[in-house]
Amino acid sequence: MNQSIPIIVPQTDLKVGYLAHKAEIDAAVRSVLESGWYILGPEVKAFEEAFAAYVGVDYAIGVGNGTDALELALRACGVGSGDLVFTVSHTAVATVAAIGLVGATPVLVDIDPSTYTMDPGSLAAALAYSSNGRSKAVIPVHLYGQPADMPAILKLAHQHSLNVIEDCAQSHGAMLDGRMTGSWGDMAAFSFYPTKNLGALGDGGMVITNDASLAERVKLLQQYGWRRRYISDIPGGNSRLDELQAAILRVKLRYLDEDNVKRRKIAAEYSKLLAVSPVSLPAEIPESVPVYHQYVVRSGKRDILKEHLKTLGVDTAVHYPVPVHMQPAYKGNLRVAPGGLSATEKLCLEILSLPMFPELPENAIRVVCEAIKSFK
């Protein structure tokens, strides 16, 4: 491999997202710095209201990060030690980590190999097998910006009296049947990590819901259980979205739909140019509007292809190379759905994330596709 050839097409580029709106972001940051109010002030309140309106829900609570958002949502739903929470193994480990943080046991189900999201059939099998009264919640993950099959998942959850908490860390602005992801379940958790479709310039997260009592409980849990300062009504922690990040996110929210359109155009161009190529392309489910947090292809020679692309100046990534149930920290600390996770395990050997960010130039897309087509 020729190590002297530079990477000319990055898999992602965070700086260009800042530079695209530099003047507005700098002004927003300066306003916060000059205000002297840095925690739980007017910027957080304004962003919470704007984000709730954007998704189409009644309540939004800014928190420290996406993992905290999942943990607080689970706690608000009363999930705790010994309870079972159903989710997927092909996800960022944060999804499963949050379940462990509340003392619950993850039950991992398989994915649909065409959408990479939760397979309702596998969920149904796991629920039937786990009918012991400890089943409490389902966390579908809208992975890579592709909505999970929410109608089927909700039907199963309601049959078993389970709360549904959507993991929307990668699906800001995605839609299914005309509804935003995050507006389907009892609660939803968002991450604003810098790589996300709506990314801060640091950490941040959000819990959203239409349920006033759940929203109130999250607000208590996020700051020591306080209704009145210094008086804890319930045990709580400390997870707050800060004013600087809220101000930055308010600016970037105004451009989220525009950026998602750009992502969809990039995905469409990839799909057109790679229609005849040595890789399998991602699918779009009917009545969905995915937002392509990642554009993920499949190859039975993934690792060789990745190195081939690197030599040609194309940077790629693997999200995620090892399913959670096969990672050292979680072996023996979770359950696996009946029938196993064969689709998950096969997928993780084949997936490759191509360069994807709204500012990706058209000529770079052609470079990527030609590099893939040259692979033998």
Side-chain angles (χ1 to χ4, degrees):
M1 185 173 64
N2 187 345
Q3 299 287 349
S4 65
I5 299 177
I7 298 296
I8 59 171
V9 184
Q11 200 276 323
T12 191
D13 190 337
L14 300 181
K15 185 172 67 175
V16 294
Y18 161 63
L19 294 176
H21 311 296
K22 182 178 186 302
E24 291 177 77
I25 290 173
D26 288 355
V29 169
R30 185 168 56 251
S31 176
V32 172
L33 293 176
E34 292 174 354
S35 75
W37 196 338
Y38 307 128
I39 296 291
L40 294 184
E43 288 293 340
V44 169
K45 185 175 186 296
F47 177 60
E48 289 172 339
E49 292 174 351
F51 193 74
Y54 175 79
V55 179
V57 297
D58 293 333
Y59 306 99
I61 305 97
V63 298
N65 54 65
T67 309
D68 285 358
L70 285 167
E71 179 186 350
L72 292 172
L74 286 164
R75 292 190 186 281
C77 290
V79 178
S81 179
D83 293 334
L84 303 182
V85 178
F86 300 78
T87 191
V88 290
S89 187
H90 182 53
T91 181
V93 73
T95 311
V96 178
I99 298 170
L101 287 170
V102 303
T105 299
V107 182
L108 302 185
V109 307
D110 215 352
I111 57 167
D112 181 317
S114 63
T115 65
Y116 315 151
T117 60
M118 181 178 283
D119 174 20
S122 182
L123 175 61
L127 289 169
Y129 182 77
S130 304
S131 56
N132 61 357
R134 301 300 296 178
S135 300
K136 287 295 182 68
V138 179
I139 303 179
V141 182
H142 304 301
L143 199 67
Y144 306 139
Q146 172 75 267
D149 187 349
M150 293 308 299
I153 292 168
L154 285 170
K155 182 178 179 181
L156 287 166
H158 292 159
Q159 288 172 355
H160 292 265
S161 301
L162 307 181
N163 287 116
V164 175
I165 301 169
E166 297 175 68
D167 184 338
C168 299
Q170 300 183 8
S171 69
H172 314 70
M175 300 185 75
L176 178 65
D177 294 339
R179 291 175 59 181
M180 288 273 190
T181 57
S183 68
W184 289 81
D186 298 289
M187 307 189 82
F190 286 81
S191 167
F192 301 124
Y193 187 76
T195 59
K196 306 305 185 186
N197 291 43
L198 179 59
L201 299 185
D203 254 326
M206 188 79 83
V207 181
I208 66 172
T209 183
N210 282 313
D211 187 310
S213 63
L214 289 176
E216 176 63 19
R217 188 159 179 83
V218 171
K219 288 179 181 179
L220 289 173
L221 289 167
Q222 75 160 166
Q223 187 169 234
Y224 312 122
W226 289 354
R227 284 191 176 91
R228 297 164 292 166
R229 192 169 179 82
Y230 304 128
I231 306 297
S232 298
D233 290 344
I234 63 171
N238 176 5
S239 181
R240 299 175 294 213
L241 179 65
D242 71 72
E243 286 286 284
L244 282 170
Q245 298 304 333
I248 292 165
L249 289 163
R250 281 184 68 201
V251 172
K252 297 185 78 174
L253 179 60
R254 296 197 286 268
Y255 299 97
L256 176 58
D257 285 343
E258 178 183 322
D259 284 348
N260 283 340
V261 167
K262 291 176 182 177
R263 287 176 180 271
R264 286 184 54 77
K265 287 181 177 177
I266 292 166
E269 189 68 6
Y270 274 142
S271 295
K272 181 178 75 173
L273 295 177
L274 294 174
V276 179
S277 72
V279 297
S280 299
L281 307 181
E284 291 193 11
I285 62 175
E287 306 303 323
S288 72
V289 182
V291 292
Y292 289 98
H293 174 64
Q294 302 292 343
Y295 186 91
V296 180
V297 299
R298 298 182 67 168
S299 169
K301 301 178 180 178
R302 188 268 311 285
D303 293 338
I304 303 172
L305 172 60
K306 182 173 173 60
E307 288 302 309
H308 170 77
L309 295 177
K310 185 176 180 180
T311 64
L312 296 177
V314 176
D315 190 22
T316 57
V318 179
H319 303 95
Y320 300 90
V322 181
V324 177
H325 71 283
M326 298 177 70
Q327 297 187 22
Y330 292 97
K331 287 182 179 179
N333 295 321
L334 46 73
R335 300 184 188 180
V336 170
L341 306 177
S342 58
T344 294
E345 292 173 10
K346 186 174 191 298
L347 181 79
C348 289
L349 298 174
E350 299 179 350
I351 49 173
L352 190 65
S353 299
L354 302 187
M356 172 57 79
F357 51 96
E359 299 82 9
L360 186 66
E362 188 174 341
N363 67 327
I365 301 170
R366 290 194 296 270
V367 168
V368 173
C369 294
E370 288 303 315
I372 291 173
K373 289 179 178 179
S374 71
F375 179 68
K376 304 298 182 184

